[in-house]
Amino acid sequence: MPTYSDDGQWWWDGRAWQPVTQQQQQPYGGQQQQYAAPPQQYPGQQQPYPPQQPQQPQYGGGQPPYPQQGFYQPQQQPPKKSRTLPLIVAGAVALVLVLSVGGVVLWKKTSSDGGGGTSAGAPPKDAKIIEPGQPVTEQALSEVNPQAFHESVMKRQMATPIARLKTTVLDPQKFATGQPIWSITDMAVDRQSNKYYYAQSILQGRVDKDPTNQVCTDGDPKPMLWSDYSKRWERSRFDDMACQKMPYQGGSDSIVSTGLNAEQADKVIAYFRTNKGFVNPAQPTLLTAGGKTYVKQVVDFKPITLSDNNYWGSAILMWGLREIGIDPSEWKWSNPFNLTEGIHMVYYLDTKTLLPVAAFQSGIDTPAQNGEPAVKRDTIQVVNYTYPTALPVPKFGNSPNTLTITLPEGWKVP
């Protein structure tokens, strides 16, 4: 059923408010709405999100992994504010958010991203941290300031020139067994040259006798594909958009982006501090698993209410880019999480570099507010990190080179 305004004189057709006298259409291109309550928005207001562009499903279940969305700039301030419309739009789409529509990105100041109203503040100036090269012991970790330590990790990560990320988004109900993993991407981005390396394995389960493996090479629109029949790498007969234009998945770990300078990293961290209650780091600890030792730190990026009285979560992490003048249409950002969804992040850091080598991420529910129920969030993403000095060079031998992805604690991380 269409969504009507409070006065009953207008209905939302998925693109704009229309008088009730006009022929009504199913809102949002026939998609089911998550909430029936009408949004507290009024005629004349600009559409909040550009129309979505259909894409071929990459993951199981026929869900398109990259629904197209953008941000909006209200033309007038409504007298009443609600999170209904953001939740309807964000909740109706599939996993991964893409911030471009037809090459145009609406990346303007919105009423929803003005900060939480109270500064969360910086850690004390004498807050203890551990720098790379210093001894990392359980005792030393117990004495660090959790916020200062995590901010030092984020800054170090953002200031790294190139990061190579292997990422996968998983079915939460089957995560514990690793069945199925639909797609693993392997992507490295050189932000200075705007060049990238990209490979992908599509498989059903961590053990698949006939997975699909492809690698982009030198800007050729046709990727190299492993043929299980001929047992060799062959050039595809078809173009792949991932080989023509830098894809989003793998462009970041959904928390921060690499390729920034120290000043930019400081500004992003300062912006996160203005959102009180958003970043919640726990005390880091040592973890020994598989014969290796890691620094483990759990950080919850919780949904918070911003100036429009709506809850926002993962969107705040993307808004950090805007604070340093970066346009996400030119700086790809990967985000499988709903805009109002928080992120439970388990970092596994190398004890020498104090950079992430792996991460487990799961969604944090959007709390109830404005008479609406809480929304269950169960997105799961796993990330593996390396930090090469240059972009990888594709190598083709007599093996399919099927990608793998691991977690130090296995596949039962809470």
Side-chain angles (χ1 to χ4, degrees):
M1 296 295 293
T3 298
Y4 293 92
S5 61
D6 287 347
D7 59 11
Q9 301 301 309
W10 301 82
W11 68 281
W12 181 255
D13 71 354
R15 295 176 173 82
W17 288 101
Q18 303 290 350
V20 293
T21 55
Q22 294 188 11
Q23 183 178 3
Q24 297 185 3
Q25 303 175 2
Q26 178 72 13
Y28 300 105
Q31 291 180 309
Q32 292 293 326
Q33 297 188 59
Q34 188 170 351
Y35 297 97
Q40 304 297 324
Q41 310 253 356
Y42 292 85
Q45 190 168 11
Q46 182 178 339
Q47 73 177 83
Y49 292 86
Q52 299 181 19
Q53 301 294 328
Q55 297 196 11
Q56 290 291 64
Q58 181 177 354
Y59 297 96
Q63 292 290 341
Y66 288 92
Q68 308 265 353
Q69 284 190 355
F71 288 89
Y72 64 94
Q73 171 67 21
Q75 294 178 347
Q76 62 184 28
Q77 187 75 6
K80 292 191 293 182
K81 300 172 183 176
S82 168
R83 68 189 178 107
T84 305
L85 187 56
L87 285 177
I88 290 174
V89 177
V93 301
L95 286 177
V96 180
L97 171 70
V98 176
L99 299 174
S100 67
V101 180
V104 178
V105 175
L106 302 181
W107 191 252
K108 300 178 180 178
K109 192 75 173 179
T110 74
S111 61
S112 60
D113 58 359
T118 304
S119 175
K125 292 183 178 181
D126 59 350
K128 186 174 180 179
I129 62 172
I130 299 175
E131 297 287 356
Q134 293 180 341
V136 179
T137 64
E138 196 71 62
Q139 178 63 33
L141 289 172
S142 69
E143 296 173 356
V144 302
N145 178 286
Q147 178 187 351
F149 180 81
H150 175 242
E151 289 182 353
S152 71
V153 171
M154 285 197 297
K155 181 174 180 177
R156 195 174 300 115
Q157 188 180 349
M158 285 188 278
T160 301
I162 300 176
R164 183 178 182 178
L165 306 183
K166 285 195 293 185
T167 60
T168 188
V169 179
L170 295 163
D171 177 344
Q173 295 182 348
K174 299 180 179 180
F175 169 75
T177 61
Q179 299 281 346
I181 296 176
W182 295 107
S183 174
I184 299 174
T185 63
D186 181 8
M187 184 171 171
V189 181
D190 184 342
R191 299 291 184 179
Q192 295 299 316
S193 65
N194 205 34
K195 294 182 179 180
Y196 65 98
Y197 166 88
Y198 184 84
Q200 181 186 49
S201 293
I202 301 173
L203 61 165
Q204 191 163 1
R206 290 202 300 273
V207 179
D208 187 341
K209 294 181 179 180
D210 188 20
T212 298
N213 294 292
Q214 65 179 38
V215 180
C216 298
T217 59
D218 300 324
D220 193 313
K222 295 178 174 59
M224 292 293 289
L225 292 172
W226 171 260
S227 170
D228 195 57
Y229 175 77
S230 62
K231 303 299 181 183
R232 66 181 183 181
W233 288 90
E234 299 175 346
R235 184 70 66 183
S236 172
R237 294 179 295 169
F238 304 100
D239 292 354
D240 191 308
M241 284 299 297
C243 296
Q244 302 174 61
K245 186 178 181 180
M246 189 187 301
Y248 284 85
Q249 186 179 8
S252 74
D253 65 355
S254 309
I255 306 297
V256 296
S257 176
T258 55
L260 307 181
N261 59 42
E263 181 181 1
Q264 290 173 319
D266 285 337
K267 288 182 179 180
V268 171
I269 291 171
Y271 170 71
F272 291 163
R273 290 173 180 168
T274 66
N275 294 277
K276 185 177 182 180
F278 177 57
V279 184
N280 301 270
Q283 195 74 34
T285 59
L286 277 184
L287 169 72
T288 300
K292 296 182 179 180
T293 301
Y294 307 87
V295 175
K296 176 182 176 181
Q297 186 175 30
V298 176
V299 182
D300 283 340
F301 299 86
K302 294 183 178 180
I304 60 172
T305 304
L306 298 184
S307 59
D308 64 350
N309 200 33
N310 293 321
Y311 271 105
W312 296 95
S314 71
I316 296 173
L317 296 161
M318 293 182 286
W319 288 333
L321 285 180
R322 188 183 51 204
E323 296 298 307
I324 54 177
I326 288 179
D327 184 336
S329 67
E330 302 297 331
W331 193 284
K332 298 297 189 289
W333 180 277
S334 177
N335 180 24
F337 299 92
N338 186 283
L339 294 175
T340 66
E341 180 177 2
I343 301 175
H344 172 75
M345 177 76 162
V346 182
Y347 287 94
Y348 300 95
L349 310 178
D350 180 86
T351 55
K352 294 181 179 179
T353 65
L354 295 180
L355 282 167
V357 295
F360 167 81
Q361 300 170 311
S362 59
I364 297 176
D365 297 350
T366 304
Q369 190 188 32
N370 299 331
E372 298 166 358
V375 182
K376 180 67 177 177
R377 304 298 186 189
D378 53 10
T379 308
I380 288 177
Q381 180 171 247
V382 174
V383 186
N384 286 177
Y385 309 72
T386 55
Y387 306 91
T389 57
L391 291 179
V393 177
K395 296 180 180 180
F396 306 100
N398 298 321
S399 169
N401 299 331
T402 302
L403 296 171
T404 60
I405 195 164
T406 62
L407 284 169
E409 291 186 280
W411 294 89
K412 296 183 179 180
V413 182

